[in-house]
Amino acid sequence: MVGRDDSLQGPIMNPVHPTLLSASSQSSWRCGAISSFFHQKLAFQTVLYSSDKSHQITHHLLTNSPVELTVNEPCLPLDRPLHVDPISDQTKARLVSAFWGLAQGDIEKSKVTESLKPYFEYYLKQANIALHERGRHVFVASHNDIIEIVQALKDDVPKDQIISHLVAGSNDAGTDHDSESFANSVDLAVRLLTMMEIENVPNSYISRRPLEWKGGSLRTFLCTEFPASGGLTREHVKLERLFQAYNLERIAGIKIRWTNNLADHLRMIGDDDEEVAISGCASYLDTVRARQAHNLFPPGFIDETLHSDKHQESEKADFISTMTSPTARNPAPISSSPSKHVDLLILGAGWTSTFLFPLLKSHNLTFAATTRTGHGIPSHLDSTIPFTFDPDIEDLEPYRRLPLASHILVTFPLKGQGQSTRLVESYDRVHAQDKITSNWIQLGSTGIWKGSSWQDRHSPIDLSNPRAIAEEELLALLGKRACVLNLAGLWGGERQPRNWVSRVAKTKEEVRAKGAVHLVHGEDVASGVVGCVDGGWEGVSGERWIVDDLRGWEWWDLILGWCGGDDKIGEEKLEYGKWVLELMEEEGVKALPRDREKLGRLLDGREFWVKLGIVPVKSLLG
């Protein structure tokens, strides 16, 4: 299936994960017992591998009386992959029990899993982020893996010891994982347990720097980060009923930004502290408070947060309705849901969309966006429209959720014959009674140009490339109702080219082969898309365009500029810098950048920006 932004595939599980203690085990993972962590009597190994759309699972139980499970037997609830949507009620109940110590019977009677719907949306969203790029950034794969790390966190095992024994267990099992995947797995478990952005999970987008937990136990870290308040008690201050979110903005000019990050609750944010973050996590906080013995938070933290959180949560729906009404000042989308008509429908909101949303708002363009799960986009949207494009399914029901749009941006790759036709015709059939016909923008890659010298949008493309085939089909099908924007290397935010060097070239000989590289910043991609939608369609319709920053960067020059520095990346690049100097000597290069004829393929992207009458403004030069 396709449905994720910027041509990246959805998460596929790591092929082998030696999992930790069984969720049903009451064994404690304290410091003295860590050495036997991977060999407790209920430890097991889960092997997950994908075949088409199904997963086959084999469990090897290391018990005194082994239980044999075959490939055909169903997967136990807690052994299911983290990213599978929806999470079953049975799995939710077991997670609640493991995280906060609630008895299974109490969970069923109180229907706590129903009240925790916002939390489990957050859980699934965090899992999808962490398992992005086929799960290569994390070691965990199932709910059970998370539970075992959570148990260690609750038992006050220091962070470095958890990581070191995950590494040791992986080595014992003969598996090979990137060292950072173990730390990322612990960070993911912490986020799921606390609903706080602690440390930086790869591929995540956050509005500010996350909390940094460098060592020690999680409990100690939270007590240090959130010390007991010495401020006014609630007996000293009584706020009138008029003191509420809507009036806070109307009277004081302070805007409300709803957040799922507890660490941001009541924090003044924005460039000029003109916004206040308010969490919507009351049901989560109620659940945590119900079992104080399992509470890692400092004394008073939950009660103080709940006191303000419940008051604001009760008015949240009214506030959103008021502030997004046509008469509200500076209306802006708070959620992305079907409406009668929008200027732009974004199919597959992801990294690019985080740059696109603010620009659309500033141009007063209405929009809606889809994701696989319908989760929100931090700092931009509380929710999106759940939609997954499956070219093998003719069902029109998913398309009925999509609003009528003047323009539709497809951020995920369509491949081969038939997919473009399926997507367009399915959408058009649902909206056949509407008088407006939609224009389509497909985001593609400049990788379809294979020439060894200057290439522009008129140069021959690789017509055997599956993406090129689908793009050509879209242009042929729709004519002036479509255009294709072939993007150069995307960068901005967490995507920094400085961090790519060791991925694109691991040896001196691979550095020798590197020539030119073309890039485009997320903000410039957003400018290009908005330019097409907001008045520029006539000039770009029916054509394919190269979108870059109008610069041909030279890898040797960049590597030399990035080498050295005080950080770990700089030290690593120092070796690369030495290679560049040796290569300059060997090939008689007196100064960088090298002559253009030595750089291989170069792209000419001028036409796109000339047509729109705008200029790309973001550059590696600052």
Side-chain angles (χ1 to χ4, degrees), residues 492-506:
E494 294 295 321
R495 295 185 178 184
Q496 292 299 318
R498 187 169 183 257
N499 302 332
W500 303 347
V501 176
S502 59
R503 297 208 305 266
V504 302
K506 299 183 182 302

Side-chain angles (χ1 to χ4, degrees), residues 366-481:
T366 57
F367 63 92
T370 75
T371 58
R372 285 184 175 182
T373 63
H375 61 260
I377 308 295
S379 304
H380 298 289
L381 295 176
D382 275 355
S383 63
T384 52
I385 303 167
F387 174 80
T388 299
F389 172 60
D390 188 338
D392 299 321
I393 295 179
E394 297 184 10
D395 183 17
L396 294 179
E397 194 57 36
Y399 297 85
R400 301 189 196 282
R401 307 186 192 123
L402 306 179
L404 179 64
S406 297
H407 299 80
I408 299 173
L409 176 68
V410 184
T411 68
F412 51 79
L414 299 175
K415 297 182 178 181
Q417 292 286 349
Q419 292 196 6
S420 293
T421 300
R422 170 78 71 191
L423 179 62
V424 171
E425 290 186 352
S426 296
Y427 181 87
D428 283 350
R429 285 172 62 189
V430 167
H431 293 284
Q433 301 303 315
D434 297 307
K435 297 180 180 180
I436 297 177
T437 56
S438 303
N439 298 322
W440 292 72
I441 304 171
Q442 171 72 60
L443 297 187
S445 165
T446 55
I448 61 175
W449 281 278
K450 300 297 185 182
S452 59
S453 57
W454 280 105
Q455 306 287 299
D456 60 26
R457 71 184 190 89
H458 306 285
S459 301
I461 61 174
D462 179 10
L463 291 175
S464 67
N465 184 297
R467 296 183 65 174
I469 293 171
E471 291 164 4
E472 288 292 292
E473 181 180 276
L474 182 71
L475 292 171
L477 177 69
L478 296 177
K480 291 292 185 178
R481 287 181 55 205

Side-chain angles (χ1 to χ4, degrees), residues 5 168 178 182 196 209 222 260 284 288 346 363 406-407 435 466 538 555 570 579 605 614:
D5 181 52
D178 182 87
F182 300 101
M196 289 185 177
R209 188 179 183 87
L222 291 175
N260 286 327
Y284 164 84
V288 175
I346 304 167
H363 281 246
S406 297
H407 299 80
K435 297 180 180 180
E538 180 89 15
W555 269 117
W579 289 346
I614 56 179

